[in-house]
Amino acid sequence: MMKVAKHGGNIYEVALERGIEMEEILDFSANINPLGIPDSLKEAIMDNIHIIERYPDPEYKELVKAIADYHGVDQQWIAVGNGATELIFALAASLNSKNSLILAPTFSEYERALLKAKSEVHYYYLKEDNGFQIDEGFKKMLNPEIDLLVLCNPNNPTGQFLKRQQMMEILQHCREHGIRLVVDEAFIDFVEGGEMETMIACMHEYNHLYVIRALTKFFAIPGLRLGYAVTSNENILGRIRDNREPWSINSLAALAGEIVLKDKTYIQATKNWIGEEKDNLFKALNAIEGIKAYKPEANYIFFSYGKSDNCLKEVLLSKKILIRSCGNYKNLTDRFYRVAIKDRASNEKLIQALKEVIYED
Ligand SMILES: Cc1ncc(COP(=O)(O)O)c(C=O)c1O
């Protein structure tokens, strides 16, 4: 039986193990917008709570329309899901890949979904000495055996980001070699100018391209769950629709999609917050002896500290601060960590706590 993968955000387990209340934990392990649920959504849910008394539209027409309008694409090209995760598994099941290539490290559900779909998973090992960037050797990995490539952009947990120009080169290369390309843009809305870099803009010309999106992180609704996939490959979309279980998105999550994408005030407030805090936290982390933080593109920062003993996570937990140890990612060790960028006061608490544990050691 497949085990549930370990992710950030498991404050349930931590609270239970330590005998502390969840509310007492300052959680830097899940990369969720600290502005919280948009007010527009709170109001809409309160005003429309009665919609849970009926089944959702099995085709989610209003939701699909809202997403299509937001991106300016054909409604036919969209599949919606219960978080991006549902689409990751649905896409893997529909693509019928024999040999896939993913980055190591990357978001672990891709490996699970592809293995479940009986694809042999190959890895491109990112290297610490070039900042975990994709380098010249990458294209060599795209040998004739490979029929599917998955790139998380930005990558999780490393945060490394490919601009559209670089992604286009990879897309062209994939087309020439008969390789399907899945680009996971779960965090792209947090990237400065991310809307100019999305591969959704290239859909009409390439039907071997699949983009996965999540609304869970940017709009702070991981518990409500909503994501979607965009592709002009109607054959694969048909398979996804045929295979899916009905009503997997609950009525309130579907309503959320119709509301939040139109909430320009919240979107702008989020861009203002991330614009201010990203650099502050990055600099403050790098100023601490022994920490090497990698330049963030999205709303989280990847860093290394000291030797391989996972010490930071444990000592910070005694201060009720939870960070993501990256030791269980393929190709990383316990020396690596990831923290979410939160509001100013929380970020300062993290820096203060890190200084205490590192300098008073
Ligand atoms: C790259 C990436 N894609 C997808 C997901 C899953 O998103 P969702 O919560 O919408 O299923 C995550 C969650 O951390 C992620 O890191």
Side-chain angles (χ1 to χ4, degrees), residues 1 27 38 105 108 117 128 135 138 154 200 278 282 287 296-297 302 309:
M1 200 179 78
D27 183 10
S108 60
E128 183 176 5
D135 63 19
F138 177 65
I200 293 177
K278 195 186 277 187
F282 171 59
E297 297 278 1
F302 178 62
D309 56 5

Side-chain angles (χ1 to χ4, degrees), residues 82-85 88 107 110 152 156 184 186-187 214 216-217 225-226:
N82 183 279
T85 303
I88 293 172
F107 182 52
Y110 280 98
C152 293
N156 179 10
D184 179 316
F187 291 101
T216 39
K217 289 123 197 334
R225 321 238 1 92
L226 187 60

Side-chain angles (χ1 to χ4, degrees), residues 6-269:
K6 289 254 180 203
H7 292 289
N10 199 344
I11 51 171
Y12 306 93
E13 189 179 71
V14 171
L16 200 66
E17 274 171 12
R18 311 255 151 176
I20 42 181
E21 295 296 323
M22 258 186 311
E23 287 68 28
E24 291 177 53
I25 300 171
L26 192 50
D27 183 10
F28 282 86
S29 74
N31 306 319
I32 303 302
N33 187 338
L35 301 189
I37 316 165
D39 287 341
S40 57
L41 177 57
K42 267 191 215 164
E43 266 169 46
I45 289 181
M46 284 191 292
D47 292 348
N48 292 283
I49 191 76
H50 59 276
I51 63 175
I52 61 175
E53 291 169 355
R54 57 175 187 257
Y55 279 91
D57 169 7
E59 289 170 30
Y60 298 101
K61 287 189 234 28
E62 290 300 316
L63 172 62
V64 167
K65 182 175 180 321
I67 295 166
D69 289 350
Y70 180 71
H71 289 293
V73 297
D74 197 319
Q75 293 180 34
Q76 289 302 321
W77 295 356
I78 292 165
V80 287
N82 183 279
T85 303
E86 185 183 5
L87 275 327
I88 293 172
F89 280 78
L91 199 52
S94 303
L95 283 170
N96 248 331
S97 159
K98 289 205 168 44
N99 286 285
S100 50
L101 181 70
I102 65 175
L103 302 180
T106 202
F107 182 52
S108 60
E109 295 300 336
Y110 280 98
E111 182 187 49
R112 280 165 42 89
L114 289 163
L115 289 174
K116 191 172 174 213
K118 307 265 181 298
S119 176
E120 188 168 326
V121 180
H122 303 253
Y123 304 90
Y124 175 72
Y125 290 88
L126 296 165
K127 295 179 210 73
E128 183 176 5
D129 57 15
N130 78 350
F132 294 94
Q133 298 288 332
I134 285 177
D135 63 19
E136 286 307 302
F138 177 65
K139 281 195 186 148
K140 284 197 206 116
M141 288 293 295
L142 297 172
N143 58 47
E145 251 198 336
I146 301 295
D147 57 35
L148 175 67
L149 167 65
V150 177
L151 293 174
C152 293
N153 200 36
N155 192 28
N156 179 10
T158 56
Q160 142 271 337
F161 183 67
L162 296 175
K163 294 220 165 216
R164 194 189 294 161
Q165 189 54 38
Q166 295 163 282
M167 198 60 97
M168 282 304 292
E169 278 175 31
I170 295 173
L171 182 66
Q172 295 282 10
H173 185 90
C174 284
R175 177 147 82 176
E176 283 154 27
H177 294 79
I179 300 169
R180 281 82 50 86
L181 174 63
V182 174
V183 182
D184 179 316
E185 298 184 349
F187 291 101
I188 201 167
D189 294 319
F190 292 105
V191 175
E192 202 180 331
E195 58 283 0
M196 304 302 292
E197 307 296 338
T198 174
M199 292 302 280
I200 293 177
C202 312
M203 278 311 155
H204 53 290
E205 284 178 69
Y206 300 91
N207 78 350
H208 65 304
L209 171 65
Y210 306 84
V211 172
I212 300 252
R213 288 280 191 133
L215 295 185
T216 39
K217 289 123 197 334
F218 193 87
F219 294 103
I221 50 167
L224 199 52
R225 321 238 1 92
L226 187 60
Y228 52 95
V230 189
T231 177
S232 58
N233 192 316
E234 293 184 13
N235 182 21
I236 295 296
L237 277 169
R239 271 193 224 166
I240 292 178
R241 290 191 188 113
D242 289 348
N243 290 337
R244 72 173 304 161
E245 288 158 31
W247 311 297
S248 65
I249 303 163
N250 70 69
S251 314
L252 297 178
L255 175 70
E258 291 162 38
I259 301 290
V260 296
L261 291 171
K262 295 193 187 97
D263 190 340
K264 296 211 169 76
T265 312
Y266 183 89
I267 294 173
Q268 191 53 50

